[in-house]
Amino acid sequence: SAVISQKPSRDICQRGTSLTIQCQVDSQVTMMFWYRQQPGQSLTLIATANQGSEATYESGFVIDKFPISRPNLTFSTLTVSNMSPEDSSIYLCSVDGPYTGELFFGEGSRLTVL
Amino acid sequence: AQTVTQSQPEMSVQEAETVTLSCTYDTSESDYYLFWYKQPPSRQMILVIRQEAYKQQNATENRFSVNFQKAAKSFSLKISDSQLGDAAMYFCAYTGNAGNMLTFGGGTRLMVKP
């Protein structure tokens, strides 16, 4: 199984600021996925990040708000821009496992926006 | 679009007893995959069990088993001999044959009473 490290694990941010979350995987992976988990809710896919190409965003998420970088096969970042209290969530990085639909997850980054 | 529904926001079980978590889904595809993921309080999601829709036999992983009813689009998780460490959020998830996106249910919080 892949080991996924996320930084920061939690942060408290001020409204209007931006924060970048880092995701490091201990092996090379083709696709990395970013999910959002709002308080008490399920996971929603933000975008899929392939190395060397633009991230693919799901409906309701835009690049200006959630820019993603994928500089190599083991690393990705997600930036939450111009934050508002509605952005308070856990943001999870994940990668494909060996079987169809299986995902390995990082521990998540809990953001609180004041 | 595929949807996944978990009708039980919370469940509780006595230690050593058996509990069943419900999940229904909606899809027009004939080939797909279903999963149960566990999210303990530490937040890292892990895969509990997976089921390929083309397999009639229900998947089993130690104390965890599923009841997959394809015609009814039902996919319940049974946990036998419940342990304190089973306390977590459980998410039912679906992906189509392409396996390129997981759709999660709303989750069920399982409490285990000593």
Side-chain angles (χ1 to χ4, degrees), chain A residues 37 42 100-101 103 105 107-108, chain B residues 35 37 39 43-44 102 104-105:
Chain A
Q37 187 177 18
S42 187
T100 301
L103 294 178
F105 286 87
E107 290 195 357
Chain B
F35 309 85
Y37 279 86
Q39 187 180 40
R43 298 203 310 270
Q44 188 160 25
L102 271 180
F104 287 88

Side-chain angles (χ1 to χ4, degrees), chain B residues 70-84:
Chain B
K70 191 172 184 179
K73 296 181 180 175
S74 171
F75 182 63
S76 61
L77 174 70
K78 185 172 81 170
I79 306 174
S80 304
D81 186 25
S82 296
Q83 301 175 358
L84 295 178

Side-chain angles (χ1 to χ4, degrees), chain A residues 100, chain B residues 2 25 27-35 51-55 68-75 93-99:
Chain A
T100 301
Chain B
Q2 292 80 18
Y25 58 94
T27 183
S28 58
E29 297 182 274
S30 57
D31 290 331
Y32 50 87
Y33 301 81
L34 296 163
F35 309 85
Q51 174 82 42
E52 294 93 335
Y54 64 85
K55 289 187 176 179
F68 173 48
Q69 301 290 328
K70 191 172 184 179
K73 296 181 180 175
S74 171
F75 182 63
Y94 165 102
T95 190
N97 196 36

Side-chain angles (χ1 to χ4, degrees), chain B residues 3-106:
Chain B
T3 58
V4 179
T5 302
Q6 294 178 248
S7 59
Q8 306 153 317
E10 282 191 0
M11 292 282 286
S12 66
V13 63
Q14 205 72 36
E15 195 175 6
E17 297 294 309
T18 296
V19 64
T20 299
L21 308 184
S22 301
C23 173
T24 58
Y25 58 94
D26 187 24
T27 183
S28 58
E29 297 182 274
S30 57
D31 290 331
Y32 50 87
Y33 301 81
L34 296 163
F35 309 85
W36 280 97
Y37 279 86
K38 172 185 178 181
Q39 187 180 40
S42 67
R43 298 203 310 270
Q44 188 160 25
M45 296 263 286
I46 56 173
L47 178 65
V48 175
I49 198 165
R50 66 193 295 269
Q51 174 82 42
E52 294 93 335
Y54 64 85
K55 289 187 176 179
Q56 292 186 336
Q57 186 173 7
N58 289 325
T60 299
E61 288 287 340
N62 301 314
R63 297 182 296 107
F64 299 87
S65 61
V66 299
N67 183 6
F68 173 48
Q69 301 290 328
K70 191 172 184 179
K73 296 181 180 175
S74 171
F75 182 63
S76 61
L77 174 70
K78 185 172 81 170
I79 306 174
S80 304
D81 186 25
S82 296
Q83 301 175 358
L84 295 178
D86 294 333
M89 283 290 290
Y90 286 82
F91 292 96
C92 179
Y94 165 102
T95 190
N97 196 36
N100 56 5
M101 179 178 170
L102 271 180
T103 299
F104 287 88

